[in-house]
């Protein structure tokens, strides 16, 4: 098992808190007796009677239209084989999670205890009244072909076996673009498919549908090239049998334009690759290790276009580019099936999207300055938010045009905007930041490394490639914690400041010179730098580390003081401020100041707002700032309304480019409809604020903690703003997840500096 998926980490992830990865939550109010009588008896009788009268009303009054069943019998689970339905359940839950976060589709996963095709079909067919779509998953070949064929024929809702069609759709889009870039005609290229399972057969079929010639496709299984004269040739493989005198991959690959790998690692050698035609196309999609290593392939053929199934190389063929959006489009028009026209529409939409200018958010997420169509970008990135607004409408239109839709879409612009708003907003930003951090990891010094949570977080950020940890503390104590908890931190630098005489001398001399006129003597400087917060701050100041993380076991003021004395504020910045990123169901909202300035003056409030505005932009978010009060634009007089009102006036005057308004109450700030109806002159009337500036520390601190506990929002921070170099302070007793999130943001901060 790889470092990223250590056995115990994976087990802990699935077992912690509520077991599993998904839950069911109510979508209607349930707080009163009236709510309950409407939800169940007697109120529920009314929609029941309406549906009995008109069965199509089931889509109006129930969740059917947004509910997919992910169904498996566990006979071909990932690379694990036939491990049974119970053992396959974590995978099905994971598929449900992807449906939800990428396309806002709800899922019930169903694991069936049968290997009998007739029984499987009978069970699934009987579930049609419950679901709007059926996603078949991890069913072994050849049974999967027969199961899908029969269910598609006998059911009137979309059915798709993603193991077959997901890879086929994504790789078809990649193949179209790769052929275009390599100057090859799809109907003339010679294609070698290594593998003859469900995915391979479906890929070959779809390649033919989008323009490839069946006669130019050569398929290879464990016995060699599939030939028409093979004894006991399976019917499903006979479709791509050749009458040419070819026996091995080595023979078939000679002069081939395209290699499609859906098999095992390292079966395509550099020698074989060198015999392919000019400007070859290689899709080595075996996971986790491709049929030929990426580095070896590009070193062997400089004229190659290559794709793999891995995220750490260009051109990842990832099913998540397809299935969430295909089902979204199919279900939104109540399609009776997912037909060939809809699959081809998805292929074309994905292929065309790669040719369009890439949003800056995607460039930032992958730390690429200008991602554009070319040999290293033939299909979109999985994190591209445009997928739902490109693929789903294309699929929906194809369903309507091919006559399988039962619902028309009259306003396509409104439909597309609705799709955009469906995206899972609360964690999309953090996923994007995680990718950005991994693109250029930084050296992070942990001042409190004699703590299990810190060490566990250090292991995670090291394994995930987010950061290179540096641990401060007693070496024996740290080694003891690592051993007792079976942590893997071999090779990580551990520093005990007390043992670093040379560094202590250098740091104390620096601190004395910097603070000698602020009450720090030479002796005091020598004592202070032995403190790990001072020592870590000096490491960052002397560029021996990029980021300092501290605060887990000490109060905020004690932790931030060394950073202020050693590093200081940015040029032109007079103060620091604290900001929290709150991940809410309505998207990310930034809160400030929540940790530093107790009762800022008007000018201080202006400075804090400018600091926060610049910080929010580093997250690739356009700040829309509300300066909060208990008054709305003069409705109440008092010290706080007057202060916030004056701060906004100065901001409008000195920083006209900043989108900011106030003073206003919190509910008006985040409810643009409420604001527009009552104060239509406000600069925030068209969209809600995403950045809230509080009039004092008390209100900001109370607000974020209440939202965290009662609103089920995840708080990431505090993010310290205004320092000349990155230092970030943890909440006392943060969880491991919170520490990892903070390190991620700290690394992104260091990248921006």
């Amino acid at each position: 098992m790889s470092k990223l998926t250590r056995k115990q980490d994976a087990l802990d992830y699935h077992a912690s808190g509520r077991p599993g990865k998904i839950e069911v939550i109510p979508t209607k109010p349930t707080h009163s007796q009236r709510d309950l009588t409407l939800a169940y008896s007697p109120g529920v009788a009314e929609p029941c009677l309406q549906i009995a009268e008109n069965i199509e009303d089931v889509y109006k009054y129930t969740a059917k239209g947004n509910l997919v069943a992910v169904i498996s019998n566990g006979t071909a689970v990932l690379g694990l084989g036939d491990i049974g339905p119970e053992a396959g359940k974590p995978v099905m839950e994971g598929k449900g999670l992807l449906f939800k976060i990428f396309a806002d589709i709800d899922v019930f996963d169903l694991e069936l205890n049968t290997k009998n095709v007739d029984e499987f079909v009978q069970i699934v067919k009987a579930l049609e009244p419950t679901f709007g779509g059926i996603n078949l998953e991890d069913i072994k070949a050849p049974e999967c072909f027969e199961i899908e064929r029969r269910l598609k024929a006998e059911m009137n809702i979309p059915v798709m076996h993603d193991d077959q069609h997901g890879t086929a759709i994504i790789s078809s889009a990649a193949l179209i673009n790769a052929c275009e870039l390599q100057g090859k005609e799809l109907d003339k290229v010679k294609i070698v498919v290594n593998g003859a399972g469900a995915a391979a057969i479906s890929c070959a079929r779809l390649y033919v549908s989008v323009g490839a010639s069946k006669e130019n496709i050569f398929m290879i299984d464990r016995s060699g090239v599939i030939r028409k004269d093979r004894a006991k040739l399976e019917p499903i493989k006979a479709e791509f049998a050749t009458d040419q005198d070819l026996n091995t991959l080595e023979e078939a690959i000679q002069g081939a334009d395209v290699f499609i790998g859906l098999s095992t690692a390292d079966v395509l050698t550099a020698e074989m690759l060198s015999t392919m035609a000019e400007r070859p196309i290689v899709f080595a999609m075996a996971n986790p290790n491709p049929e030929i290593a990426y580095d070896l392939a590009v070193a062997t053929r400089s004229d190659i276009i290559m794709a793999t199934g891995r995220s750490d190389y260009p051109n990842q063929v990832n099913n998540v580019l397809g299935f969430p959006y295909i089902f979204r489009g199919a279900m939104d028009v109540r399609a009776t099936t997912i037909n060939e026209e809809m699959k081809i529409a998805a292929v074309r939409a994905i292929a065309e999207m790669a040719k369009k200018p890439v949003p800056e958010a995607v460039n930032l997420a992958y730390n690429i300055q200008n991602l554009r169509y070319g040999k290293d970008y033939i299909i979109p990135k999985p994190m591209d938010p445009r997928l739902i607004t490109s693929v789903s409408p294309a699929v929906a239109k194809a369903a309507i045009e091919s006559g399988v839709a039962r619902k028309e879409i009259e306003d396509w612009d409104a439909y597309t905007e609705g799709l955009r708003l469906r995206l899972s907003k609360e964690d999309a930003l953090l996923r994007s930041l995680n990718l950005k951090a991994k693109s250029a990891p930084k050296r992070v010094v942990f001042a409190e490394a004699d703590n299990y949570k810190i060490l566990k977080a250090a292991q995670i950020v090291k394994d995930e490639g987010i950061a290179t940890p540096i641990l401060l503390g007693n070496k024996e104590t740290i080694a003891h914690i690592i051993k007792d908890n079976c942590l893997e931190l071999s090779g990580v630098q551990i520093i005990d400041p007390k043992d670093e005489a040379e560094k202590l001398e250098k740091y104390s001399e620096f601190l004395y010179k910097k603070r000698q006129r602020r009450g720090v003597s030479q002796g005091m400087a020598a004592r202070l730098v032995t403190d790990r917060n001072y020592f870590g701050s000096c490491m960052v100041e002397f560029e021996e580390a990029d980021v300092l993380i501290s605060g887990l076991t000490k109060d905020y003021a004690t932790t931030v003081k060394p950073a202020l004395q050693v590093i200081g504020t940015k040029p032109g910045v007079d103060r620091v401020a604290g900001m929290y990123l709150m991940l809410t169901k309505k998207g990310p909202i930034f809160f400030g100041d929540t940790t530093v300035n107790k009762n800022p003056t008007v000018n201080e409030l202006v400075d804090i707002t400018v600091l926060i505005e610049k910080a929010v932009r580093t997250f690739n978010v356009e700040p829309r700032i509300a300066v909060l009060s208990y008054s709305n634009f003069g409705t109440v007089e008092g010290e706080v309304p007057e202060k916030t009102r004056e701060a906004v006036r100065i901001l409008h005057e000195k920083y006209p480019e900043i989108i900011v308004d106030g003073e206003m109450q919190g509910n008006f700030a985040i409810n643009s409809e409420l604001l527009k109806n009552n104060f239509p002159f406000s600069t925030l009337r068209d969209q809600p604020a995403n950045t809230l500036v509080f009039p004092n520390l008390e209100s900001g601190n109370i607000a974020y903690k209440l939202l965290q506990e009662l609103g089920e929002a995840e708080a990431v921070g505090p993010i310290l703003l205004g320092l000349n170099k990155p230092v970030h302070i943890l909440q006392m007793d943060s969880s491991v997840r919170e520490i990892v999130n903070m390190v991620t943001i700290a690394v992104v901060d260091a990248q921006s500096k």
Side-chain angles (χ1 to χ4, degrees):
M1 186 171 285
S2 72
K3 290 180 179 179
L4 293 182
T5 53
R6 286 196 178 90
K7 178 178 179 181
Q8 195 57 49
D9 288 347
L11 295 175
D12 290 345
Y13 173 85
H14 286 83
S16 63
R18 183 193 295 264
K21 297 188 289 285
I22 56 177
E23 66 175 328
V24 177
I25 58 173
T27 60
K28 300 294 186 291
T30 57
H31 308 306
S32 67
Q33 182 60 36
R34 180 177 183 275
D35 291 337
L36 296 180
T37 59
L38 290 171
Y40 194 53
S41 180
V44 75
E46 296 306 325
C48 291
L49 292 171
Q50 288 291 113
I51 295 167
E53 187 175 320
N54 177 17
I55 198 167
E56 286 298 302
D57 278 349
V58 69
Y59 289 97
K60 182 177 181 180
Y61 296 113
T62 78
K64 176 182 171 76
N66 197 54
L67 190 61
V68 162
V70 173
I71 304 180
S72 177
N73 61 2
T75 53
V77 180
L78 297 178
L80 305 174
D82 185 355
I83 59 175
E86 292 88 355
K89 185 173 176 63
V91 178
M92 304 313 123
E93 287 187 356
K95 195 68 179 282
L97 184 149
L98 295 177
F99 265 112
K100 186 64 178 178
I101 65 176
F102 285 109
D104 191 29
I105 290 174
D106 298 314
V107 164
F108 290 153
D109 62 290
L110 301 172
E111 292 73 38
L112 306 186
N113 189 20
T114 180
K115 296 182 181 180
N116 181 279
V117 170
D118 291 334
E119 193 172 30
F120 192 109
V121 170
Q122 184 180 6
I123 293 169
V124 176
K125 185 180 175 183
L127 294 169
E128 184 169 347
T130 302
F131 296 100
I134 303 292
N135 182 98
L136 302 172
E137 194 78 13
D138 291 353
I139 305 165
K140 74 180 182 71
E143 289 90 337
C144 63
F145 295 105
E146 178 66 9
I147 287 170
E148 187 195 45
R149 184 192 65 78
R150 287 177 54 181
L151 288 174
K152 286 172 73 74
E154 298 176 30
M155 298 181 78
N156 285 313
I157 58 175
V159 176
M160 187 172 85
H161 184 209
D162 188 48
D163 298 308
Q164 294 181 50
H165 304 296
T167 302
I169 289 165
I170 311 310
S171 65
S172 291
L175 182 60
I176 288 170
N177 285 346
C179 285
E180 179 182 283
L181 289 164
Q182 296 288 59
K184 295 175 183 283
E185 296 179 36
L186 183 56
D187 62 341
K188 293 183 172 62
V189 294
K190 176 184 176 183
I191 302 172
V192 173
V193 180
N194 199 67
I201 296 288
S202 294
C203 282
R205 286 174 173 171
L206 194 55
Y207 298 161
V208 172
S209 292
V210 297
S213 170
K214 183 183 288 188
E215 289 70 29
N216 292 339
I217 297 176
F218 302 87
M219 189 170 287
I220 299 164
D221 63 9
R222 291 184 179 88
S223 301
V225 175
I226 299 171
R227 292 171 35 160
K228 292 180 180 178
D229 58 359
R230 178 186 289 187
K232 297 181 181 180
L233 181 59
E234 297 174 53
I236 200 71
K237 296 181 180 180
E239 185 177 349
F240 291 99
T242 181
D243 55 10
Q244 292 194 26
D245 186 18
L246 298 171
N247 296 286
T248 65
L249 171 60
E250 187 173 9
E251 294 174 5
I253 201 70
Q254 292 183 33
D257 299 283
V258 179
F259 171 85
I260 303 294
L262 292 155
S263 52
T264 57
D266 302 324
V267 295
L268 181 66
T269 66
E271 289 75 21
M272 292 179 191
L273 176 58
S274 65
T275 68
M276 290 184 70
E278 291 183 359
R279 305 181 307 283
I281 298 164
V282 173
F283 295 172
M285 296 179 284
N287 266 322
N289 298 312
E291 283 79 3
I292 183 170
Y294 179 86
D295 293 338
L296 175 60
V298 297
T300 303
R301 295 292 297 262
S302 61
D303 58 345
I304 193 173
I305 285 182
M306 183 163 179
T308 70
R310 293 178 54 140
S311 61
D312 49 350
Y313 297 121
N315 303 322
Q316 183 192 15
V317 178
N318 189 329
N319 285 16
V320 81
L321 292 172
F323 71 82
Y325 316 112
I326 293 167
F327 272 93
R328 178 79 275 157
M331 292 167 66
D332 286 343
V333 294
R334 298 181 195 166
T336 57
T337 187
I338 294 174
N339 58 24
E340 200 72 2
E341 291 89 342
M342 294 159 73
K343 289 188 289 182
I344 292 172
V347 170
R348 303 291 183 194
I350 294 167
E352 284 303 311
M353 191 176 140
K355 300 176 185 179
K356 296 177 181 178
V358 176
E360 188 59 21
V362 179
N363 284 322
L364 287 170
Y366 292 90
N367 200 39
I368 299 172
Q369 188 171 359
N370 186 22
L371 192 63
R372 60 183 182 272
Y373 184 54
K375 65 182 296 185
D376 290 334
Y377 180 67
I378 59 174
I379 46 175
K381 294 288 190 181
M383 294 295 293
D384 197 319
R386 300 173 300 165
L387 283 161
I388 193 170
T389 55
S390 297
V391 180
S392 297
V395 171
K397 286 177 182 177
I400 293 170
E401 291 169 2
S402 62
V404 298
R406 290 176 291 186
K407 177 185 175 184
E408 291 284 338
I409 293 176
E410 296 178 0
D411 188 336
W412 286 97
D413 289 338
Y415 173 62
T416 302
E417 178 62 14
L419 291 173
R420 188 184 65 79
L421 295 174
R422 276 184 175 275
L423 289 180
S424 179
K425 298 176 182 178
E426 66 267 27
D427 55 0
L429 177 61
L430 206 55
R431 293 199 303 270
S432 175
L433 291 172
N434 185 272
L435 284 171
K436 183 167 174 57
K438 289 180 181 179
S439 68
K442 299 296 181 182
R443 300 164 298 170
V444 176
V445 57
F446 292 89
E448 300 157 298
D450 51 0
N451 181 285
Y452 165 74
K453 289 182 181 179
I454 292 291
L455 293 174
K456 181 66 175 178
Q459 176 184 288
I460 292 170
V461 299
K462 173 178 176 285
D463 288 348
E464 291 194 4
I466 293 170
T468 301
I470 301 170
L471 309 176
L472 297 188
N474 182 276
K475 292 182 180 180
E476 290 184 5
T477 302
I478 293 171
H480 185 71
I481 297 171
I482 290 172
K483 182 179 179 181
D484 284 353
N485 293 280
C486 299
L487 300 175
E488 295 185 29
L489 286 163
S490 58
V492 172
Q493 186 178 12
I494 303 174
I495 298 174
D496 188 340
K498 294 182 175 62
D499 298 336
E500 301 291 326
E502 187 176 331
K503 286 185 185 291
L504 289 173
E505 183 179 351
K506 178 175 67 173
Y507 294 166
S508 64
E509 183 64 23
F510 166 79
L511 183 60
Y512 171 63
K513 286 182 179 179
K514 189 165 187 175
R515 304 291 298 180
Q516 61 187 354
R517 294 181 179 273
R518 301 299 300 270
V520 175
S521 65
Q522 280 190 312
M524 184 184 296
R527 289 193 302 274
L528 287 174
V529 294
T530 62
D531 178 273
R532 281 178 272 166
N533 285 313
Y534 278 94
F535 191 92
S537 295
C538 287
M539 288 186 70
V540 174
E541 177 64 20
F542 280 84
E543 299 184 355
E544 294 161 359
D546 301 302
V547 178
L548 170 65
I549 294 289
S550 189
L552 184 69
T553 60
K554 293 183 178 181
D555 66 81
Y556 197 89
T558 302
T559 311
V560 77
K561 183 178 178 181
L564 286 169
Q565 292 187 351
V566 173
I567 294 173
T569 58
K570 294 178 184 176
V573 174
D574 296 326
R575 72 193 69 260
V576 296
M579 180 178 76
Y580 269 93
L581 165 57
M582 306 300 296
L583 301 173
T584 77
K585 296 294 183 183
K586 291 187 175 183
I589 301 179
F590 298 87
F591 280 27
D593 180 0
T594 49
T595 55
V596 179
N597 299 282
K598 289 185 178 180
N599 189 25
T601 65
V602 169
N603 289 327
E604 289 171 345
L605 202 56
V606 170
D607 291 345
I608 290 166
T609 304
V610 172
L611 265 182
I612 291 171
E613 195 268 349
K614 290 179 180 177
V616 171
R617 287 189 179 278
T618 67
F619 291 87
N620 199 41
V621 173
E622 178 76 21
R624 297 178 55 81
I625 306 170
V627 182
L628 300 183
S629 174
Y630 55 79
S631 167
N632 284 312
F633 306 105
T635 56
V636 179
E637 295 300 325
E639 180 185 345
V640 169
E642 290 170 11
K643 176 175 72 172
T644 52
R645 192 182 312 144
E646 179 62 11
V648 170
R649 186 193 68 77
I650 295 171
L651 286 162
H652 284 167
E653 182 181 295
K654 295 181 66 176
Y655 304 95
E657 73 281 4
I658 295 179
I659 302 172
V660 59
D661 214 346
E663 87 281 14
M664 68 175 67
Q665 296 172 355
N667 57 332
F668 284 83
I670 59 176
N671 186 333
S672 55
E673 194 67 28
L674 188 64
L675 188 65
K676 191 173 186 177
N677 289 340
N678 290 274
F679 306 101
F681 56 82
S682 173
T683 56
L684 298 174
R685 64 186 177 276
D686 295 324
Q687 293 183 49
N690 57 25
T691 305
L692 306 180
V693 175
F694 292 86
N696 50 47
L697 181 63
E698 182 179 40
S699 58
N701 196 271
I702 290 170
Y704 97 77
K705 288 183 177 177
L706 282 175
L707 184 60
Q708 187 178 18
E709 293 299 323
L710 299 179
E712 297 183 352
E714 183 172 358
V716 182
I719 303 163
L720 193 57
L721 311 177
L723 284 176
N724 198 33
K725 293 183 179 179
V727 174
H728 290 282
I729 315 300
L730 301 167
Q731 292 185 78
M732 287 187 69
D733 204 32
S734 294
S735 68
V736 172
R737 175 180 169 82
E738 288 167 340
I739 298 168
V740 171
N741 287 344
M742 193 69 255
V743 173
T744 302
I745 285 176
V747 169
V748 172
D749 183 23
Q751 290 172 347
S752 71
K753 287 180 168 59

